[in-house]
Amino acid sequence: MQHIQYLYKIYLQHPLIVTDSRKIEPGCLFFALKGEKFNGNEFAQQALEKGAAFAVIDEATYKLSDQFILVENVLKTLQALAIYHRRQFHIPVIAITGSNGKTTTKELISAVFSSHYKAHFTRGNFNNHIGVPLTLLAMPLETEVAIIEMGANHQGEIDFLCNIAEPTHGLITNIGKAHLEGFGGIEGVKKGKSELYRYLAKKNGVVFVNLDELFLEDLSKDVRWKIYYKQSNQPNSHNNPFEIKLLLKNTFIKTVFESDKDTPIVVNSQLIGEHNFNNIMTAIVLGIYFKVPDNKIKNAIENYTPSNNRSQILKIGSNTFILDAYNANPTSMNKALLQFEKMEVNKKIAILGAMKELGDQSEIEHQQIADLAISFNFEKLILVGEEFKNIPLTEKINYFNNVQELKNWYNKQVFENIHFLIKGSRSVGLEKLLDEK
């Protein structure tokens, strides 16, 4: 601890943490992390030459001056420093995890909170054992509320991240078929994601529970402090949960919530897909709970536009693209297809990329998704990635090994007035289809 206190004093003078020697900024602290194919210690001298104030290393061979801070393990030191910094704050720290929708939910909640508080939140997908410490260490001392996204694909990861971020509040967006290989099936997903509930139960924290999602109510039973919420037209077994009404779902999501001024607040979002209603509802509920004024909640959500290949709507010529290629698993793929089928437009083409990390369930899950898509009788169904290679082809079904093959074919076609759904796992890279080159 003494060595962390010493390092923390240096950190306060140089609060910018950098782990990539190619991104050095003057006066930063460089942490020489190691990976399977790189050793950050080898770049420590280079980092200092580029302007880093100090380099934190864990191999004595590289300590060439007092600007090198030698520790036993750079990663563990980064995590310990993040914990120490976190403990300087006595503010709400809200942890978000779940199988689907956690990044969009985090972005919406952050938009709502930022409209009224000095809010700090996870940037991009910095949600793992390195990203969470970096997020915490980027937190300014004047922060009033923090929103920390937590990702996981194995048991124990959420608990580990909770012990770094020490959340006071938390929510699980949902439990779905994601990372089945690492978690060991849906029961493993339930156990792994609910580590957040168990941490908050132990720490007497508060959890927000969406009653419309499977498993969450039961998994939260040991938490003393629970805030329930639900869609207002769903059955309810609880007294006075927060209720948000879904007004319009087949185009952009439109919702309404009760105001403290007795005038319902209508929110016209820029998000499509009924699955995004839960993300919006969660942001509204947290905004109300943390006393963000109603008009600020409304404006924050209405001004939020999706980016980074998440439910983006792109208009190119006469064609419309729903680009949702950031990630995919059987649950999110199913929801996206159901929503796409409900869209009241004439011509639809679904372009589906393979889903990863499904283990021995991969073949059956890909077959089920293909069967669902085929049942909707779109103009065309295009499948990309070897996990789909055994699906029988017809005049309406095309298969490509990778996105480059798809692009070569696509560029020779003439499409007009078509709505495209583009959905697949990150590693497939379906967004490259729309690159100009």
Side-chain angles (χ1 to χ4, degrees):
M1 179 57 78
Q2 190 173 9
H3 124 98
I4 289 297
Q5 289 174 336
Y6 164 74
L7 185 57
Y8 190 67
K9 289 178 181 177
I10 295 175
Y11 159 79
L12 289 177
Q13 295 175 324
H14 304 278
L16 177 62
I17 305 291
V18 176
T19 61
D20 187 337
S21 61
R22 296 166 296 184
K23 298 179 180 178
I24 295 298
E25 294 187 29
C28 70
L29 280 183
F30 175 69
F31 275 71
L33 295 175
K34 292 176 180 173
E36 290 183 10
K37 298 180 180 178
F38 66 91
N39 180 352
N41 289 275
E42 296 174 358
F43 302 98
Q45 177 64 39
Q46 183 185 109
L48 292 174
E49 290 171 358
K50 288 182 175 179
F54 293 91
V56 181
I57 59 172
D58 52 17
E59 293 183 19
T61 310
Y62 295 94
K63 184 172 171 56
L64 305 177
S65 72
D66 289 342
Q67 279 185 281
F68 295 84
I69 300 172
L70 183 64
V71 299
E72 189 172 329
N73 182 292
V74 170
L75 176 58
K76 289 182 178 178
T77 299
L78 178 73
Q79 293 164 342
L81 186 65
I83 294 169
Y84 193 88
H85 183 56
R86 157 69 185 94
R87 289 177 178 171
Q88 310 311 305
F89 296 83
H90 301 285
I91 61 172
V93 174
I94 302 157
I96 299 175
T97 191
S99 299
N100 299 297
K102 57 184 174 290
T103 299
T104 301
T105 301
K106 177 260 300 181
E107 295 283 342
L108 286 164
I109 292 172
S110 301
V112 168
F113 283 0
S114 296
S115 72
H116 193 64
Y117 298 108
K118 291 175 181 173
H120 179 73
F121 52 92
T122 302
R123 303 288 179 176
N125 64 337
F126 272 45
N127 61 11
N128 64 7
H129 64 296
I130 297 171
V132 168
L134 290 174
T135 296
L136 292 169
L137 287 165
M139 188 157 64
L141 292 172
E142 64 270 18
T143 300
E144 295 174 316
V145 59
I147 305 99
I148 309 296
E149 181 181 331
M150 296 180 178
N153 55 19
H154 289 85
Q155 305 288 346
E157 286 182 279
I158 296 297
D159 183 65
F160 182 79
L161 296 177
C162 283
N163 282 290
I164 294 174
E166 298 183 348
T168 57
H169 300 70
L171 67 94
I172 300 173
T173 57
N174 49 51
I175 303 291
K177 294 179 178 180
H179 306 296
L180 295 179
E181 185 174 26
F183 279 119
I186 192 69
E187 289 303 315
V189 177
K190 288 162 66 174
K191 183 179 178 182
K193 296 297 183 182
S194 63
E195 287 166 10
L196 174 58
Y197 285 166
R198 294 198 290 280
Y199 175 89
L200 288 166
K202 186 171 58 179
K203 299 294 183 179
N204 212 25
V206 177
V207 299
F208 298 87
V209 181
N210 182 353
L211 294 172
D212 298 338
E213 284 289 350
L214 295 174
F215 314 124
L216 299 186
E217 182 181 1
D218 182 58
L219 291 172
S220 66
K221 64 182 184 298
D222 293 331
V223 183
R224 181 181 178 188
W225 303 108
K226 293 184 277 278
I227 307 299
Y228 291 117
Y229 61 100
K230 60 185 278 293
Q231 189 179 149
S232 61
N233 60 348
Q234 297 292 345
N236 171 42
S237 58
H238 294 273
N239 291 325
N240 302 318
F242 283 103
E243 293 191 0
I244 311 299
K245 189 173 183 180
L246 173 60
L247 292 182
L248 194 62
K249 62 184 181 182
N250 286 341
T251 54
F252 292 104
I253 294 295
K254 184 177 183 179
T255 64
V256 63
F257 66 95
E258 295 301 320
S259 166
D260 53 10
K261 298 180 180 63
D262 297 324
T263 305
I265 303 294
V266 176
V267 180
N268 294 288
S269 81
Q270 298 183 61
L271 287 164
I272 64 165
E274 194 170 350
H275 55 283
N276 271 315
F277 170 74
N278 278 350
N279 304 333
I280 293 168
M281 175 169 64
T282 301
I284 291 172
V285 168
L286 266 72
I288 295 170
Y289 180 84
F290 284 98
K291 296 181 168 52
V292 177
D294 296 335
N295 64 316
K296 290 186 176 180
I297 296 174
K298 170 183 168 71
N299 291 337
I301 293 173
E302 288 187 340
N303 290 328
Y304 173 76
T305 54
S307 59
N308 200 21
N309 307 321
R310 288 184 172 92
S311 297
Q312 280 182 269
I313 299 179
L314 305 173
K315 192 85 174 170
I316 302 176
S318 65
N319 299 315
T320 301
F321 296 83
I322 300 167
L323 181 58
D324 198 4
Y326 187 83
N327 219 335
N329 56 56
T331 302
S332 66
M333 190 77 90
N334 190 291
K335 289 180 178 180
L337 282 167
L338 288 171
Q339 182 60 39
F340 190 53
E341 195 273 335
K342 290 176 185 175
M343 288 184 70
E344 295 174 357
V345 294
N346 289 329
K347 296 181 180 179
K348 304 175 194 174
I349 292 178
I351 301 176
L352 307 182
M355 302 173 288
K356 304 297 184 179
E357 297 183 51
L358 296 179
D360 58 9
Q361 295 297 303
S362 183
E363 185 174 352
I364 189 170
E365 293 291 353
H366 281 86
Q367 182 65 60
Q368 288 176 351
I369 287 298
D371 289 344
L372 178 65
I374 291 165
S375 73
F376 293 145
N377 199 29
F378 299 136
E379 296 287 312
K380 259 193 181 304
L381 171 61
I382 298 168
L383 305 172
V384 184
E386 63 176 326
E387 288 86 347
F388 279 122
K389 67 183 178 184
N390 293 326
I391 306 298
L393 302 182
T394 68
E395 186 180 334
K396 283 193 169 186
I397 302 175
N398 291 52
Y399 167 77
F400 300 96
N401 287 302
N402 53 56
V403 73
Q404 189 57 54
E405 285 187 11
L406 166 63
K407 191 167 184 175
N408 293 339
W409 172 84
Y410 176 86
N411 288 339
K412 296 173 185 174
Q413 310 304 308
V414 177
F415 293 115
E416 291 185 356
N417 300 308
I418 303 285
H419 276 69
F420 290 86
L421 170 66
I422 301 179
K423 178 76 176 168
S425 282
R426 177 86 290 275
S427 59
V428 181
L430 285 182
E431 73 281 357
K432 295 173 187 171
L433 174 65
L434 303 182
D435 289 349
E436 291 185 5
K437 293 183 179 179

